[in-house]
């Protein structure tokens, strides 16, 4: 059995791998146009399929309840099974007339619900195994979710030609979405457990190593998205380097395990020497007892400080129906919906946006948004790590409000018809959306406490299906109106009104989140000792 320190980091590596594969719906824009033709559906119905994946999050609270009763590895495997069934059945029967539209909707919703189960496991592992650095651990792990679309597009592009010739692009992605999460979950399952702490000292060196690996992984993703061919790097070479970087975090628990084994050997030798000198008199035995008592006090002292820290912050534990009666919950719910969820809707529509602008391949745009989303998710981890070293902490609600403002500007920038502005705005929206979704996990913890986090956060993310339905339907309706009865709309005007409305909505979300920050900061100031 792994010792606690290495086991903690092994659980974080497992969380990183799970997050990397836990965005199979992020590759939907790559094959959405082909799916639309295969099933002969309109843009509005296609957008409802994008909403279906988010609709599964309406029942995400079941994952939080299950996490209270089941081992975390069982919760993760349940989520992977939902994805295997949801996407696997679509892969097997997509081109058959017996697979009706409502079948597609239900299967996609099932797969979307599976994402919630895996996310819940990752959040709980980071919070419980790294209580002193929970924000940093959560942000690090969730940053890899931004690489999901990049992962799936890279694997799809490097499949053998025979496989790509046999299956359509849609079926290739459906197969990957079904099989990859289950395979990775089975590999990571042994590491998905909460490990008791011997002490609560901050781990500096492993986090610095993790940051370095993570930055290198993100840089590799960016190069593969926008410039691999320009520097002479083939798709297969890029994929190999990408997967090597994803495997590198495993070195951290391995090195820690070796160090712990060496420490145990040294400790055993020291105990043998003490035992050999026991005959020298009772003084040595007394000193050994006193040393053991001092070590016990040192281990108990940080644990005894935790309740005092909680009382100092005055964090309130909120759960159940009480959550829905809180004004802070509704401010948080709608500010998240008008920003992070709105960004996800934009990313779901990238395929149609690229097609309307005359771009030949949407995968480049999707990879770009995925890579910048990764850095956006990583940004809060950097800020948390360095502010914690200085003895301070950033408010999550303030961070969310500051990220919403540039996102609103990016939607207005999309009104310009040039492709350069499309790529720049996609990078900004991807970065801000990634950062907001990463910050939101810790914001739920900050606002409503840790005890009911698994259920509370899944209630909060119920805004995603609601926002996806409203904003996605609006975009599809305006697109269909621009098509003048045809199946396709071409030109920058197809999404002009949509971008304008989205920009205004995001600005409103910024104002709501600023109001939430003002309320929470006044409440925190009132709890400070006078």
């Amino acid at each position: 059995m792994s010792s606690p320190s290495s086991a903690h980091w092994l659980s974080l590596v497992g969380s990183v791998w799970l997050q990397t594969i836990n965005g199979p719906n992020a590759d939907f824009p790559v094959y959405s146009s082909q799916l639309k033709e295969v099933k002969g559906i309109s843009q509005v119905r296609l957008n409802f399929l994008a909403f279906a994946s988010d609709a599964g999050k309406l029942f995400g609270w079941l994952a939080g309840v299950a996490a209270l009763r089941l081992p975390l590895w069982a919760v993760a495997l349940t989520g992977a099974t939902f994805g295997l069934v949801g996407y696997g059945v679509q892969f097997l029967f997509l081109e058959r007339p017996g697979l009706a539209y409502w079948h597609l909707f239900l299967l996609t919703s099932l797969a979307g619900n599976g994402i919630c189960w895996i996310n819940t496991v990752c959040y709980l592992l980071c919070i419980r195994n790294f209580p002193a650095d929970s924000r940093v651990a959560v942000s690090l792990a969730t940053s890899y979710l931004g690489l999901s679309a990049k992962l799936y597009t890279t694997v799809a592009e490097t499949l053998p030609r025979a496989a790509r010739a046999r299956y359509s692009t849609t079926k290739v992605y459906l197969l990957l979405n079904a099989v990859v999460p289950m395979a990775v979950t089975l590999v990571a399952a042994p590491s998905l457990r909460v490990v008791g702490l011997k002490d609560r000292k901050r781990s500096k060196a492993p986090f610095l190593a993790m940051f370095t690996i993570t930055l290198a992984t993100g840089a590799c993703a960016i190069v593969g998205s926008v410039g691999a061919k320009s520097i002479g790097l083939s798709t297969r070479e890029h994929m190999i380097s990408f997967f090597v970087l994803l495997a590198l975090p495993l070195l951290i628990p391995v090195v820690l395990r070796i160090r712990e084994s060496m420490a145990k050997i040294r400790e055993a030798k020291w105990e043998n020497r003490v035992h050999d000198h026991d005959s020298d008199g009772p003084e040595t035995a007394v000193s050994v007892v006193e040393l053991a008592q001092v070590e016990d006090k040192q281990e108990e002292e940080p644990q005894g400080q935790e309740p005092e820290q909680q009382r100092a912050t005055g964090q309130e534990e909120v759960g159940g129906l009480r959550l829905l009666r809180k004004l802070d919950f509704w401010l948080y719910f709608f500010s998240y919906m008008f920003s992070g969820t709105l960004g996800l809707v934009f990313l779901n529509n990238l395929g149609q946006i690229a097609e309307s602008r005359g771009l030949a391949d949407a995968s480049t745009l999707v990879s770009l948004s995925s890579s910048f989303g990764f850095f956006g998710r990583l940004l809060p981890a950097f800020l948390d790590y360095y502010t914690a070293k200085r003895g301070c902490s950033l408010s999550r609600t303030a961070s969310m409000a500051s990220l919403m403002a540039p996102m609103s500007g990016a939607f207005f920038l999309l009104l310009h018809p040039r492709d350069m502005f499309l790529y720049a705005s996609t990078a900004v929206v991807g970065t801000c959306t990634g950062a907001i979704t990463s910050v939101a996990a810790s914001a739920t913890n900050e606002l409503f406490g840790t005890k009911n986090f698994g259920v509370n956060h899944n209630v909060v993310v119920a805004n995603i299906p609601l926002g996806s339905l409203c904003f996605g339907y609006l975009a599809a309706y305006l697109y269909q109106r621009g098509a003048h009865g045809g199946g396709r709309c071409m030109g920058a005007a197809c999404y002009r009104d949509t971008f304008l409305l989205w920009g205004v909505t995001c600005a409103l979300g910024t104002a709501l989140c600023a109001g939430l920050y003002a309320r929470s900061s006044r409440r925190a100031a009132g709890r400070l000792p006078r």
Side-chain angles (χ1 to χ4, degrees):
M1 182 181 296
S2 299
S3 60
S5 181
S6 59
H8 294 154
W9 282 94
L10 189 60
S11 73
L12 183 61
V13 174
S15 298
V16 162
W17 289 350
L18 288 182
Q19 289 290 285
T20 305
I21 52 85
N22 199 35
N25 57 337
D27 58 31
F28 180 76
V30 180
Y31 65 87
S32 59
S33 295
Q34 191 178 85
L35 178 64
K36 180 179 173 182
E37 294 178 1
V38 170
K39 302 307 290 184
I41 56 180
S42 67
Q43 181 65 30
V44 173
R45 301 187 86 187
L46 182 68
N47 270 77
F48 275 124
L49 282 183
F51 157 72
S53 179
D54 297 326
K57 295 180 175 64
L58 287 171
F59 300 96
W61 57 271
L62 291 172
V65 174
L68 298 174
R69 304 280 191 273
L70 301 174
L72 293 182
W73 62 265
V75 177
L77 282 175
T78 301
T81 302
F82 287 167
L84 180 65
V85 174
Y87 288 117
V89 173
Q90 291 185 59
F91 166 77
L92 293 173
F93 303 104
L94 179 67
E95 295 166 352
R96 299 186 184 183
L99 188 69
Y101 177 81
W102 68 272
H103 293 142
L104 290 176
F105 188 93
L106 291 179
L107 290 168
T108 305
S109 297
L110 179 65
N113 182 253
I115 293 174
C116 296
W117 291 67
I118 296 178
N119 277 339
T120 299
V121 170
C122 296
Y123 293 148
L124 290 176
L125 282 173
C126 292
I127 291 172
R128 294 176 181 175
N129 280 344
F130 295 88
D133 297 289
S134 60
R135 286 183 170 190
V136 180
V138 168
S139 297
L140 266 173
T142 56
S143 66
Y144 280 82
L145 184 61
L147 291 179
S148 285
K150 177 62 183 174
L151 173 75
Y152 286 107
T153 55
T154 301
V155 174
E157 289 170 358
T158 53
L159 285 176
R161 290 184 179 179
R164 285 183 285 174
R166 180 179 179 183
Y167 299 118
S168 64
T169 301
T170 301
K171 295 198 72 172
V172 166
Y173 278 100
L174 288 173
L175 179 61
L176 292 176
N177 292 349
V179 174
V180 172
M182 175 57 75
V184 174
T185 303
L186 288 172
V187 171
S191 69
L192 306 180
R193 59 192 181 92
V194 177
V195 185
L197 285 171
K198 285 185 176 179
D199 58 63
R200 295 179 183 270
K201 294 180 180 179
R202 302 181 68 88
S203 305
K204 294 182 179 180
F207 273 116
L208 289 176
M210 192 67 195
F211 277 130
T212 303
I213 295 171
T214 304
L215 282 174
T217 306
C220 179
I222 291 288
V223 169
S225 298
V226 298
K229 294 181 181 179
S230 63
I231 62 173
L233 186 67
S234 69
T235 304
R236 188 169 296 277
E237 290 170 341
H238 168 64
M239 185 194 72
I240 293 172
S241 60
F242 185 58
F243 279 102
V244 167
L245 287 168
L246 287 176
L248 272 183
L250 192 60
L251 290 178
I252 296 175
V254 169
V255 170
L256 289 175
R257 179 58 178 164
I258 293 173
R259 289 177 57 184
E260 291 161 7
S261 298
M262 297 298 294
K264 286 182 178 180
I265 293 173
R266 289 194 298 268
E267 183 181 353
K269 290 181 178 179
W270 181 80
E271 289 177 351
N272 289 335
R273 287 199 299 269
V274 171
H275 179 74
D276 292 340
H277 289 84
D278 276 349
S279 57
D280 293 343
E283 184 178 351
T284 304
V286 171
S287 64
V288 171
V289 171
E290 289 176 350
L291 180 60
Q293 290 175 347
V294 170
E295 290 177 350
D296 288 341
K297 289 180 179 179
Q298 288 176 346
E299 288 182 4
E300 291 173 3
E301 185 175 341
Q303 295 177 358
Q305 290 176 351
E306 185 183 17
E308 294 178 6
Q309 292 172 354
Q310 288 180 353
R311 285 195 294 270
T313 58
Q315 186 185 60
E316 183 184 5
E317 294 289 346
V318 181
L321 294 178
R322 285 184 60 210
L323 184 71
L324 302 180
R325 293 197 292 266
K326 290 280 187 179
L327 177 59
D328 284 359
F329 168 77
W330 294 109
L331 288 173
Y332 178 41
F333 185 89
F334 285 109
S335 61
Y336 190 168
M337 187 171 81
F338 294 164
S339 56
T341 298
L342 188 56
L344 293 175
V345 174
F346 167 76
L347 299 178
N348 283 339
N349 281 271
L350 271 181
Q352 302 303 309
I353 293 170
E355 184 184 63
S356 68
R357 295 288 184 100
L359 298 182
D361 187 8
S363 62
T364 301
L365 204 59
V366 173
S367 294
L368 183 70
S369 67
S370 176
S371 302
F372 276 92
F374 166 78
F375 278 107
R377 291 172 180 271
L378 185 61
L379 180 62
F382 276 112
L383 295 176
D384 286 332
Y385 182 77
Y386 285 106
T387 54
K389 288 177 65 176
R390 290 168 173 77
C392 57
S393 178
L394 292 175
S395 167
R396 305 317 251 171
T397 50
S399 300
M400 289 179 66
S402 63
L403 289 164
M404 294 176 191
M407 187 173 171
S408 177
F411 283 125
F412 291 122
L413 192 64
L414 282 165
L415 297 173
H416 199 286
R418 290 184 62 182
D419 290 345
M420 179 183 69
F421 292 100
L422 172 62
Y423 283 99
S425 297
T426 299
V428 172
V429 173
T431 302
C432 293
T433 300
I436 289 169
T437 52
S438 177
V439 167
S442 297
T444 304
N445 189 24
E446 179 183 285
L447 290 169
F448 309 117
T450 304
K451 183 179 179 181
N452 301 292
F453 172 81
V455 176
N456 287 350
H457 193 63
N458 281 298
V459 172
V460 170
V461 297
N463 79 82
I464 295 178
L466 178 61
S468 180
L469 176 62
C470 297
F471 302 133
Y473 178 78
L474 172 68
Y477 172 75
L478 294 175
Y479 175 95
Q480 204 70 38
R481 190 177 66 177
H484 302 293
R488 294 183 179 180
C489 177
M490 302 300 294
C494 296
Y495 283 92
R496 183 176 55 216
D497 293 342
T498 300
F499 294 147
L500 182 61
L501 291 172
W502 284 357
V504 172
T505 302
C506 193
L508 176 59
T510 307
L512 291 176
C513 199
L516 176 60
Y517 167 66
R519 281 176 54 84
S520 58
S521 59
R522 282 198 303 268
R523 190 164 51 251
R527 289 195 295 260
L528 292 175
R530 299 182 184 277

